[in-house]
Amino acid sequence: VQLQASGGGLVQPGGSLRLSCTASERVWVINDLGWYRQAPGKQRELVATITSGGSTTYTDSVKGRFTISTDNAQSLVDLQMNNLKLEDTAIYYCNADLVFYNGVRSRLWGQGTLVTVSS
């Protein structure tokens, strides 16, 4: 079972991107979901989370600019990123706590998608 993150790319400061995370197999239960990022030379950090009940949290640096959501039928979780800044440049990873139809519960990481903000 794999998670696939997509939607990254090169964007100018002030631009927008939408990241999506999908699973390679059907999911029975979705617990919490999250997006993390790792900038060059830095540790991976939590960007945003959303619980099965819809409660969200954001790291301070993205509040008001990023939105995590699960309302896309084509994906497990999305991250809408607006007003991107140079410091948002990083590899973005999705993370999901899932239960599959075989009853197995797993916390999985996506392979990462690169977001580059540059003028």
Side-chain angles (χ1 to χ4, degrees), residues 78-99:
D78 289 357
L79 185 69
Q80 177 67 42
M81 305 186 295
N82 298 328
N83 190 22
L84 283 160
K85 302 178 179 181
L86 296 176
E87 53 264 38
D88 294 320
T89 294
I91 299 174
Y92 284 71
Y93 301 88
C94 56
N95 180 271
D97 181 2
L98 307 171
V99 181

Side-chain angles (χ1 to χ4, degrees), residues 39-119:
K42 295 188 177 181
Q43 290 187 331
R44 189 175 297 189
E45 66 169 347
L46 176 64
V47 176
T49 64
I50 185 166
T51 68
S52 57
S55 298
T56 59
T57 63
Y58 298 92
T59 192
D60 286 345
S61 63
V62 309
K63 285 180 181 177
R65 301 188 297 121
F66 290 12
T67 302
I68 188 170
S69 65
T70 57
D71 55 4
N72 180 357
Q74 305 303 315
S75 66
L76 286 175
V77 60
D78 289 357
L79 185 69
Q80 177 67 42
M81 305 186 295
N82 298 328
N83 190 22
L84 283 160
K85 302 178 179 181
L86 296 176
E87 53 264 38
D88 294 320
T89 294
I91 299 174
Y92 284 71
Y93 301 88
C94 56
N95 180 271
D97 181 2
L98 307 171
V99 181
F100 296 91
Y101 281 92
N102 61 6
V104 174
R105 180 175 180 173
S106 298
R107 178 170 287 279
L108 301 175
W109 288 94
Q111 90 290 0
T113 185
L114 177 62
V115 172
T116 303
V117 184
S118 175
S119 56

